[in-house]
Amino acid sequence: MDSSLTITACSVVDLRFPTSEEAHGSDAMHTDPDYSAAYVKLSTSCDGLAGYGLTFTLGRGTDLCVSAIELLAEKVVGKTLASLVETFGQTAQSIANDSQLRWLGPEKGVVHLAAAALLNAIWDLWARVENKPLWKLVSDLPAEQLVDCVDFRYLGNALTKQDALEILATNDSTRADRESELHTTGFPAYTTSAGWLGYSDDLIRKLCRQALSEGWEHFKLKVGADLEDDIRRAAIIREEIGPNRKLMVDANQRWEVAEAIEWVRQLSRFDLWWVEEPTSPDDVVGHAEIAKAIAPIGVATGEQCQNRVIFKQLLQLNAISFCQIDSCRLGSVNEILGVLLMAKKFNVPVCPHAGGVGLCEYVNHLIMIDYIRIGASLDNRVAEYVDHLHSHFVHPVVVRSGHYMPPTNAGYSAEIHQASIEQYSYPQGSEWQLRLAANA
Amino acid sequence: MDSSLTITACSVVDLRFPTSEEAHGSDAMHTDPDYSAAYVKLSTSCDGLAGYGLTFTLGRGTDLCVSAIELLAEKVVGKTLASLVETFGQTAQSIANDSQLRWLGPEKGVVHLAAAALLNAIWDLWARVENKPLWKLVSDLPAEQLVDCVDFRYLGNALTKQDALEILATNDSTRADRESELHTTGFPAYTTSAGWLGYSDDLIRKLCRQALSEGWEHFKLKVGADLEDDIRRAAIIREEIGPNRKLMVDANQRWEVAEAIEWVRQLSRFDLWWVEEPTSPDDVVGHAEIAKAIAPIGVATGEQCQNRVIFKQLLQLNAISFCQIDSCRLGSVNEILGVLLMAKKFNVPVCPHAGGVGLCEYVNHLIMIDYIRIGASLDNRVAEYVDHLHSHFVHPVVVRSGHYMPPTNAGYSAEIHQASIEQYSYPQGSEWQLRLAANA
C-alpha cells in the first residue's frame, strides 16, 4: 500500500427509495418503510480513488445518520489509510467512542449506525487499494492482522484474542478448499420476498410459486399482527412449498415473552425451523426463556441487536440457535468479525439479515469470510436475500439457484450509480421533487 | 383541565456549557464533557402557557437530538394536551416507536433521548395546567390513572399492570405521612463534586472537607484509569471522611468483567458501599457475574442503561443492588414509573443518577414520587447531587443539609432563564461566539 495515501474529504448523501408505496418490507412494527441509506464517499489524495460506504435506514431520520457521519468524519479526514488500518480494531473503537458523542449511545442507535457507515467506507477503500473484493482481502489476511481488526472490548469473558487465533488456526489447512467451493456453488440463501405482512394471500401464493421455480428452499413469513391471519398464511406457504422445505416466521419484536411462547405453539403445526425476533431485541433473558420453551424450534435474532455486547449475552445464555448479524447496525467488519468469532466459539450458525438497500451487497462478502476463515461450515447456514433495489449498485449482488456467489469486483460493493443518487437523494432528487410537487 | 388546550408549536434549542474547560464531570470514558441539553418549548393555544423539557448531552451531537425532537414533534403539535395524557402510556409508546425512526433505535440512542425531551415537556405542561409540581401531580393521581401512564410493553414477564396496582395499594394508607416527612427533612442526597477524575489530590482533599462541612454523608470517587492512582485517591477520601460515612466508586464502564472483579478486590480495603458502572451498560450478564463475585459490595448502574428492558433484566438476574435511573435517558416519567415499579417488585432501592445540566432538577421530582407512592422507603436510598449549573434554571433544585427538598413550583422544573439561552445556545450564543472568535 502507498503509505502516503490520505483521506482528503468525506461527503454524505441522504438517499431514500419510496418503497412504502408498494408495502415492500412491511411488517408488524414497521408499517411503511422507505428503504434508505446514509451514503458516504471518502475522497483520497489519489485522483479517482474513493471509498464508498453506507448505513441502512427506513426513511425518516436518515438525515440524523448523515449529520452523525459528518461529525465522526473528523476522525478520518486528513489521516492516511495506512494509519487507520494498521491498528484497525483501535481505529474502530475510537470512532465508535468519541468522548462526547458516546453519551448518545454508547455504541448504539444513530451514532453507531454512523460509525458503521464510515468504517464500511474505509474497508471499501482498503479493498480497492489492494485490488481485491473485501471478502478476499479479509480472507487473505494473516491471522494476527485479522485479529487486530477486531474490537475485543467487553468480550473478555466470552472471547479472547487467543481464542480467535485458535479458531483461525483450526480452519487454516482447509480454507482454500472452501474458497474454491464458493466459486463453484456459492453460499445458500433464502428469500423473504414472498411473505411480507402487507401482501395479499393471492400475492403470497403467486410469489411462493415464483420462488420455487427459481430454486429457493427456505421461506419466511412475517407474523405477529393477528394469529388467525398468521395461521392462514402459514398454511398457504406450507401447502405451496411442501413438507421438506424450511419455513421460518418473523415476528419483528411484536410479542411479550409469554405471548411469543403461546403464539409459536399455535403455529408449530406448520413445522417451523426458526422464529425470528419474537420480542424486544434488547431482551436477552427473554429470548433465553423463549428458546427453552419452544425447542426444538430455534430462536433467531440480530437485525436490531445493537452491538457485540448483546450478541455475547445471547450466546452466553443459549438464547439463539441462529445468529442474525446486520452488516450496517454492527460497527462494520471490525465488530462483525468479533461476533462471527464468538458465534463460532459457541457453535451457533451465523445467518445474516439482509434486504433493505445494500445489505445483500454487504452480506455477500461477510458470508464468504465466515465460511472461509471462521464458521467454516454450511450446516444450518443460510443468508437472507430480498430481490429489491439491486440495480442501483455498480456491482450488484449475484445470486444463482438460491446461492450468493462471491463478488469479483474490488471493494465492499456499496458504490451506487450516480444516476440513482440524482434520482433518490432526499429531498432534492428528481423522484422526491415529483412527489413533493404532487402533494403540494 | 380545559379540554381544548392545544399544543401549537415546538421549538428546540441546542444549549452547551463549556464545562470541559475546568474538567468538571471528567471520568475514565468521558474526558472532556461540555454539559449540554436539547431544550424544548411547547407553545400552546393559551397565551403565556408553555411546557419545557430537555434531554442531557455532553456537547457534540446535541444537534442530533435537536433534529430528532423536531422530527418527533409532529406527533404532538396540533394535539390537545388532554388527548395526549388521557392514555399517556400509549402516547409515550407511539412517540418512542415511530414506524420509520424506530429502526434507528429502537428505544435507544439519539431517538430515545429525543422522545424523552419531548415527553418531559408534555409532563411539565400537564403539571403547570394542574398548577402542581410534577411530583405532586403524579403523587395525587388515582392508581388506575398513574398505571395508565406506564408503557408496559416488554415488561410482561416481570411486571404486570396488576402488580403495579398492588404496589400502589400497599403504600396507599401511609403515603400522606411520607409526603409530610419530605416537606420537613427531604430525601437524602450524595455528592460527586469531590471525586472527578481530572481533579488533583489537593483539590479532592479540599472538596472533601468542604462537603463534610456542608453535611454530606456519602462520597463518590471516579476510578478505572489507573489502579495506583485510585488506591491513593480512595485512601485520601477515606481518611477525610472517617470510617462511618459511605464511599462509592464509579468506573464509568472502563473494565472487562474479570478486570472489574480484580480491581474492586484491590479497592475493597477502603470499605466500598457500591461500585458503579463496572463494565458495558449493555452487559446484563456481565453485571450479574460481577455482582456475585464482589458481594457484599453492591453493583450500581443505570445512567447509560438505554431503556426499561435493560433494567428488567438487571433486576431479573440480581445484577444490581442499586438501580440508577437517568431522568433523560429513559423515555420520560412514563418509562421511569415502570422502572420504579419493577425495582420495588424486585426489592432493589432506586438511587437516581444526576448532575449534568437539569438532571438534579428532574430527579428531585422522581425521588419524591418514588418515596410517596412506590419505593416507600429511605433504606439504602440516596440520590446523586452535583453542584453545577443550577443557576440557569428558573426553579433550581433546593438541597438542605444533604437532602433534596420538594419543589414547590408548578411543573417539572426544566425551564431555563432566557439570558442563559442567549449566552449558551450553540453556536450563536454569546459565550460560544467569544470562543469561536478567540480560536479564529
Side-chain angles (χ1 to χ4, degrees), chain B residues 308-368:
Chain B
R308 68 200 176 283
V309 179
I310 298 294
F311 281 104
K312 178 182 79 165
Q313 296 172 83
L314 287 167
L315 294 165
Q316 286 174 318
L317 296 193
N318 302 310
I320 50 173
S321 299
F322 303 92
C323 175
Q324 298 183 300
I325 56 165
D326 183 277
S327 59
C328 289
R329 189 172 295 279
L330 289 171
S332 189
V333 182
N334 310 84
E335 190 167 30
I336 290 165
L337 287 171
V339 175
L340 297 179
L341 287 159
M342 279 194 291
K344 174 64 175 179
K345 189 172 166 199
F346 285 86
N347 202 26
V348 169
V350 175
C351 299
H353 168 249
V357 55
L359 299 183
C360 296
E361 277 68 22
Y362 276 156
V363 152
N364 203 352
H365 293 268
L366 301 174
I367 53 185
M368 305 288 144

Coordinates of all heavy atoms in Angstrom, one line a residue, chain B residues 308-368:
Chain B
R308 N -36.2 0.5 29.7 CA -36.8 -0.4 30.7 C -36.4 -1.9 30.6 O -36.4 -2.6 31.5 CB -38.3 -0.2 30.8 CG -39.0 -0.7 29.5 CD -40.4 -0.2 29.3 NE -41.0 -0.6 28.1 CZ -40.7 -0.1 26.9 NH1 -39.8 0.8 26.8 NH2 -41.2 -0.6 25.8
V309 N -36.2 -2.3 29.3 CA -35.9 -3.7 29.0 C -34.5 -4.1 29.6 O -34.4 -5.2 30.1 CB -35.9 -4.0 27.5 CG1 -35.6 -5.5 27.3 CG2 -37.3 -3.6 27.0
I310 N -33.6 -3.2 29.6 CA -32.3 -3.5 30.2 C -32.4 -3.5 31.8 O -31.9 -4.4 32.4 CB -31.2 -2.4 29.8 CG1 -31.0 -2.5 28.3 CG2 -29.9 -2.7 30.6 CD1 -30.3 -3.7 27.8
F311 N -33.2 -2.6 32.3 CA -33.4 -2.6 33.8 C -34.2 -3.9 34.2 O -33.9 -4.4 35.2 CB -34.2 -1.3 34.2 CG -33.3 -0.1 34.3 CD1 -33.4 0.9 33.4 CD2 -32.5 0.0 35.4 CE1 -32.6 2.0 33.5 CE2 -31.7 1.2 35.5 CZ -31.7 2.2 34.5
K312 N -35.1 -4.3 33.4 CA -35.8 -5.5 33.7 C -34.9 -6.7 33.9 O -34.9 -7.4 34.9 CB -36.9 -5.8 32.6 CG -37.6 -7.1 32.8 CD -38.6 -7.4 31.7 CE -37.9 -8.0 30.5 NZ -38.8 -8.7 29.5
Q313 N -34.0 -6.8 33.0 CA -33.0 -7.9 33.0 C -32.0 -7.8 34.2 O -31.6 -8.8 34.8 CB -32.3 -8.1 31.7 CG -33.2 -8.4 30.5 CD -32.5 -8.3 29.2 OE1 -31.8 -9.2 28.8 NE2 -32.5 -7.1 28.5
L314 N -31.5 -6.6 34.4 CA -30.6 -6.4 35.6 C -31.3 -6.8 36.8 O -30.7 -7.5 37.7 CB -30.3 -4.9 35.7 CG -29.3 -4.3 34.6 CD1 -29.2 -2.8 34.6 CD2 -27.9 -4.9 34.8
L315 N -32.6 -6.6 37.0 CA -33.3 -7.0 38.1 C -33.6 -8.5 38.1 O -33.4 -9.2 39.2 CB -34.7 -6.2 38.2 CG -34.5 -4.7 38.5 CD1 -35.8 -3.9 38.2 CD2 -34.0 -4.4 39.9
Q316 N -33.9 -9.0 37.0 CA -34.2 -10.5 36.9 C -33.0 -11.3 37.3 O -33.1 -12.4 37.8 CB -34.7 -10.8 35.5 CG -36.1 -10.4 35.2 CD -36.5 -10.6 33.7 OE1 -35.7 -10.4 32.8 NE2 -37.7 -11.1 33.5
L317 N -31.8 -10.8 36.9 CA -30.6 -11.6 37.1 C -29.9 -11.2 38.4 O -28.7 -11.6 38.6 CB -29.6 -11.5 35.9 CG -30.1 -12.0 34.6 CD1 -28.9 -12.1 33.6 CD2 -30.7 -13.4 34.7
N318 N -30.5 -10.4 39.3 CA -29.9 -10.0 40.5 C -28.5 -9.3 40.2 O -27.5 -9.5 41.0 CB -29.7 -11.1 41.5 CG -31.0 -11.8 41.8 OD1 -31.9 -11.2 42.2 ND2 -31.0 -13.1 41.7
A319 N -28.4 -8.5 39.2 CA -27.2 -8.0 38.8 C -26.9 -6.6 39.4 O -25.7 -6.2 39.4 CB -27.2 -7.8 37.2
I320 N -27.9 -6.0 40.0 CA -27.7 -4.7 40.7 C -28.2 -4.7 42.1 O -29.3 -5.3 42.4 CB -28.3 -3.5 39.9 CG1 -29.7 -3.8 39.5 CG2 -27.4 -3.2 38.7 CD1 -30.4 -2.6 38.8
S321 N -27.5 -4.0 43.0 CA -28.0 -3.7 44.3 C -28.6 -2.3 44.4 O -29.3 -2.0 45.4 CB -26.9 -3.9 45.4 OG -26.4 -5.2 45.3
F322 N -28.3 -1.5 43.4 CA -28.8 -0.1 43.4 C -29.2 0.2 42.0 O -28.4 0.0 41.0 CB -27.7 0.9 43.9 CG -27.1 0.6 45.2 CD1 -26.0 -0.2 45.4 CD2 -27.8 1.1 46.4 CE1 -25.5 -0.5 46.7 CE2 -27.3 0.8 47.6 CZ -26.2 0.0 47.8
C323 N -30.4 0.7 41.8 CA -30.9 1.0 40.5 C -30.8 2.5 40.1 O -31.5 3.3 40.7 CB -32.4 0.5 40.4 SG -33.2 0.9 38.9
Q324 N -29.9 2.8 39.2 CA -29.6 4.2 39.0 C -30.3 4.8 37.7 O -29.6 5.0 36.7 CB -28.1 4.4 38.9 CG -27.4 4.0 40.2 CD -25.9 4.3 40.0 OE1 -25.2 3.7 39.2 NE2 -25.4 5.1 40.9
I325 N -31.6 5.0 37.8 CA -32.3 5.6 36.7 C -31.7 6.9 36.3 O -31.2 7.7 37.1 CB -33.8 5.8 37.0 CG1 -34.0 6.6 38.2 CG2 -34.4 4.4 37.2 CD1 -35.4 7.2 38.4
D326 N -31.8 7.2 35.0 CA -31.4 8.5 34.5 C -32.7 9.2 33.9 O -33.4 8.6 33.1 CB -30.4 8.4 33.4 CG -30.0 9.8 32.9 OD1 -30.7 10.4 32.0 OD2 -28.9 10.3 33.3
S327 N -33.0 10.4 34.4 CA -34.2 11.0 34.1 C -34.4 11.4 32.6 O -35.5 11.6 32.2 CB -34.4 12.3 35.0 OG -33.3 13.2 34.7
C328 N -33.3 11.5 31.9 CA -33.4 11.9 30.5 C -33.1 10.8 29.5 O -33.4 10.9 28.3 CB -32.4 13.1 30.2 SG -33.0 14.6 31.0
R329 N -32.4 9.7 30.0 CA -32.1 8.6 29.0 C -33.4 7.7 28.9 O -33.7 7.3 27.8 CB -30.9 7.8 29.5 CG -30.5 6.8 28.5 CD -29.2 6.2 29.0 NE -28.1 7.1 29.0 CZ -27.3 7.5 28.0 NH1 -27.6 7.0 26.7 NH2 -26.4 8.4 28.1
L330 N -34.0 7.4 30.0 CA -35.3 6.7 29.9 C -36.3 7.6 29.3 O -36.2 8.9 29.4 CB -35.7 6.3 31.3 CG -34.9 5.1 31.9 CD1 -35.2 4.9 33.4 CD2 -35.1 3.8 31.1
G331 N -37.3 7.1 28.7 CA -38.3 7.8 27.9 C -39.3 8.6 28.8 O -40.5 8.3 28.8
S332 N -38.8 9.5 29.6 CA -39.5 10.3 30.5 C -40.2 9.6 31.6 O -39.9 8.4 31.9 CB -40.6 11.2 29.7 OG -41.1 12.2 30.5
V333 N -41.1 10.3 32.3 CA -41.8 9.8 33.5 C -42.5 8.5 33.2 O -42.6 7.6 34.0 CB -42.7 10.8 34.1 CG1 -43.4 10.3 35.4 CG2 -42.0 12.1 34.4
N334 N -43.0 8.3 32.0 CA -43.8 7.1 31.6 C -42.9 5.9 31.7 O -43.4 4.9 32.3 CB -44.2 7.3 30.1 CG -44.9 8.6 29.8 OD1 -44.2 9.6 29.6 ND2 -46.2 8.6 29.9
E335 N -41.7 5.9 31.2 CA -40.8 4.7 31.3 C -40.2 4.6 32.7 O -40.1 3.5 33.2 CB -39.7 4.8 30.2 CG -39.0 3.5 30.1 CD -38.1 3.4 28.9 OE1 -37.6 4.5 28.4 OE2 -37.9 2.3 28.4
I336 N -40.0 5.8 33.3 CA -39.4 5.8 34.7 C -40.3 5.1 35.7 O -39.9 4.3 36.5 CB -39.0 7.2 35.1 CG1 -37.8 7.7 34.2 CG2 -38.7 7.3 36.6 CD1 -37.5 9.2 34.2
L337 N -41.6 5.4 35.6 CA -42.6 4.8 36.5 C -42.5 3.3 36.4 O -42.6 2.6 37.4 CB -44.0 5.3 36.2 CG -44.3 6.8 36.6 CD1 -45.7 7.2 36.1 CD2 -44.3 7.0 38.1
G338 N -42.4 2.8 35.2 CA -42.3 1.3 35.0 C -41.1 0.8 35.7 O -41.1 -0.3 36.3
V339 N -39.9 1.5 35.6 CA -38.7 1.0 36.2 C -38.8 1.1 37.8 O -38.4 0.2 38.5 CB -37.5 1.8 35.7 CG1 -36.2 1.4 36.4 CG2 -37.3 1.5 34.2
L340 N -39.4 2.2 38.2 CA -39.6 2.3 39.7 C -40.4 1.2 40.2 O -40.1 0.6 41.3 CB -40.2 3.7 40.1 CG -39.5 5.0 39.7 CD1 -40.3 6.2 40.1 CD2 -38.1 5.0 40.4
L341 N -41.5 0.9 39.5 CA -42.4 -0.2 39.9 C -41.6 -1.6 39.9 O -41.8 -2.4 40.8 CB -43.6 -0.2 39.1 CG -44.6 0.9 39.3 CD1 -45.5 1.1 38.1 CD2 -45.4 0.6 40.6
M342 N -40.9 -1.8 38.8 CA -40.1 -3.1 38.8 C -39.1 -3.2 39.9 O -38.9 -4.2 40.6 CB -39.4 -3.2 37.5 CG -40.2 -3.7 36.3 SD -39.2 -4.2 34.9 CE -38.6 -2.6 34.3
A343 N -38.4 -2.1 40.2 CA -37.4 -2.1 41.2 C -38.0 -2.4 42.6 O -37.5 -3.2 43.4 CB -36.7 -0.7 41.3
K344 N -39.2 -1.8 42.8 CA -39.9 -2.1 44.1 C -40.3 -3.6 44.1 O -40.1 -4.3 45.1 CB -41.2 -1.3 44.1 CG -42.1 -1.6 45.3 CD -41.5 -1.3 46.6 CE -42.5 -1.5 47.7 NZ -41.8 -1.2 49.0
K345 N -40.8 -4.1 43.0 CA -41.2 -5.6 43.0 C -40.0 -6.5 43.3 O -40.1 -7.5 44.0 CB -41.8 -5.9 41.6 CG -42.4 -7.3 41.7 CD -43.2 -7.7 40.5 CE -43.4 -9.2 40.5 NZ -43.8 -9.8 39.2
F346 N -38.8 -6.1 42.8 CA -37.6 -6.9 43.0 C -36.8 -6.4 44.2 O -35.7 -6.9 44.5 CB -36.7 -6.8 41.7 CG -37.2 -7.7 40.6 CD1 -38.1 -7.2 39.7 CD2 -36.7 -9.0 40.4 CE1 -38.6 -7.9 38.6 CE2 -37.2 -9.7 39.3 CZ -38.1 -9.2 38.5
N347 N -37.4 -5.5 44.9 CA -36.8 -5.1 46.2 C -35.4 -4.5 46.1 O -34.5 -4.8 46.9 CB -36.8 -6.2 47.2 CG -36.8 -5.8 48.6 OD1 -37.2 -4.6 49.0 ND2 -36.2 -6.6 49.5
V348 N -35.2 -3.7 45.0 CA -33.9 -3.0 44.8 C -34.1 -1.5 45.0 O -35.0 -1.0 44.4 CB -33.4 -3.4 43.4 CG1 -32.2 -2.5 43.1 CG2 -33.0 -4.8 43.4
P349 N -33.3 -0.9 45.8 CA -33.5 0.6 46.0 C -33.1 1.4 44.7 O -32.2 1.0 44.0 CB -32.6 0.9 47.2 CG -31.6 -0.2 47.2 CD -32.3 -1.4 46.7
V350 N -33.9 2.5 44.5 CA -33.6 3.3 43.4 C -32.8 4.5 43.9 O -33.2 5.2 44.8 CB -34.9 3.8 42.7 CG1 -34.6 4.8 41.6 CG2 -35.7 2.6 42.2
C351 N -31.6 4.7 43.3 CA -30.7 5.8 43.7 C -30.3 6.5 42.4 O -29.3 6.2 41.7 CB -29.4 5.3 44.3 SG -29.7 4.4 45.8
P352 N -31.1 7.5 42.0 CA -31.0 8.1 40.6 C -29.7 8.7 40.4 O -29.0 9.3 41.3 CB -32.1 9.1 40.6 CG -33.1 8.7 41.6 CD -32.3 8.1 42.7
H353 N -29.2 8.6 39.1 CA -28.1 9.4 38.6 C -28.6 10.9 38.4 O -29.7 11.1 38.1 CB -27.7 8.8 37.2 CG -26.8 9.7 36.4 ND1 -27.2 10.4 35.3 CD2 -25.5 10.0 36.7 CE1 -26.1 11.0 34.8 NE2 -25.1 10.9 35.6
A354 N -27.7 11.8 38.7 CA -28.0 13.2 38.4 C -26.7 13.9 38.2 O -25.6 13.3 38.0 CB -28.8 13.8 39.5
G355 N -26.8 15.2 38.1 CA -25.6 16.0 37.8 C -25.9 16.7 36.4 O -27.0 17.0 36.1
G356 N -24.8 16.8 35.6 CA -25.0 17.3 34.2 C -25.7 18.7 34.3 O -25.4 19.5 35.1
V357 N -26.7 18.8 33.4 CA -27.5 20.1 33.5 C -28.9 19.7 33.5 O -29.4 19.0 32.6 CB -27.1 21.0 32.3 CG1 -27.2 20.4 31.0 CG2 -28.0 22.3 32.4
G358 N -29.6 20.0 34.5 CA -31.1 19.7 34.6 C -31.4 18.4 35.3 O -32.5 18.2 35.7
L359 N -30.4 17.5 35.4 CA -30.8 16.2 35.9 C -31.2 16.2 37.4 O -32.1 15.5 37.8 CB -29.6 15.2 35.7 CG -29.1 15.0 34.2 CD1 -28.0 14.0 34.2 CD2 -30.3 14.5 33.4
C360 N -30.5 17.1 38.1 CA -30.9 17.2 39.6 C -32.3 17.8 39.7 O -33.1 17.4 40.5 CB -29.9 18.1 40.3 SG -28.2 17.5 40.4
E361 N -32.6 18.8 38.8 CA -33.9 19.4 38.8 C -35.0 18.3 38.6 O -36.1 18.3 39.2 CB -34.0 20.5 37.8 CG -33.5 21.9 38.3 CD -32.0 21.9 38.5 OE1 -31.2 21.0 37.9 OE2 -31.5 22.7 39.3
Y362 N -34.7 17.4 37.6 CA -35.7 16.3 37.3 C -35.8 15.3 38.4 O -36.9 14.9 38.9 CB -35.3 15.6 36.0 CG -35.8 16.3 34.8 CD1 -35.1 16.2 33.5 CD2 -36.9 17.1 34.8 CE1 -35.6 16.8 32.4 CE2 -37.4 17.8 33.6 CZ -36.7 17.6 32.4 OH -37.2 18.2 31.3
V363 N -34.6 14.9 38.8 CA -34.5 13.8 39.8 C -35.2 14.2 41.1 O -35.8 13.3 41.8 CB -33.0 13.4 40.1 CG1 -32.8 12.9 41.5 CG2 -32.6 12.5 39.0
N364 N -35.2 15.4 41.4 CA -35.8 16.0 42.6 C -37.3 15.5 42.7 O -37.9 15.2 43.7 CB -35.7 17.5 42.6 CG -35.8 18.1 44.0 OD1 -36.2 17.4 45.0 ND2 -35.6 19.4 44.1
H365 N -38.0 15.6 41.5 CA -39.4 15.2 41.4 C -39.5 13.7 41.5 O -40.4 13.1 42.2 CB -40.0 15.7 40.1 CG -40.1 17.2 40.0 ND1 -41.3 17.8 40.5 CD2 -39.3 18.1 39.6 CE1 -41.1 19.1 40.3 NE2 -39.9 19.3 39.8
L366 N -38.6 13.0 40.9 CA -38.7 11.5 40.8 C -38.6 10.8 42.1 O -39.3 9.8 42.4 CB -37.7 11.0 39.7 CG -37.9 11.6 38.3 CD1 -36.7 11.1 37.4 CD2 -39.2 11.2 37.7
I367 N -37.6 11.3 42.9 CA -37.4 10.6 44.2 C -38.6 10.9 45.1 O -39.0 10.0 46.0 CB -36.1 11.1 44.9 CG1 -36.0 12.6 44.9 CG2 -34.9 10.5 44.1 CD1 -34.7 13.2 45.5
M368 N -39.3 12.0 45.0 CA -40.5 12.3 45.8 C -41.6 11.3 45.4 O -42.2 10.7 46.3 CB -41.0 13.7 45.5 CG -40.0 14.9 45.8 SD -39.6 15.1 47.5 CE -37.8 15.5 47.4

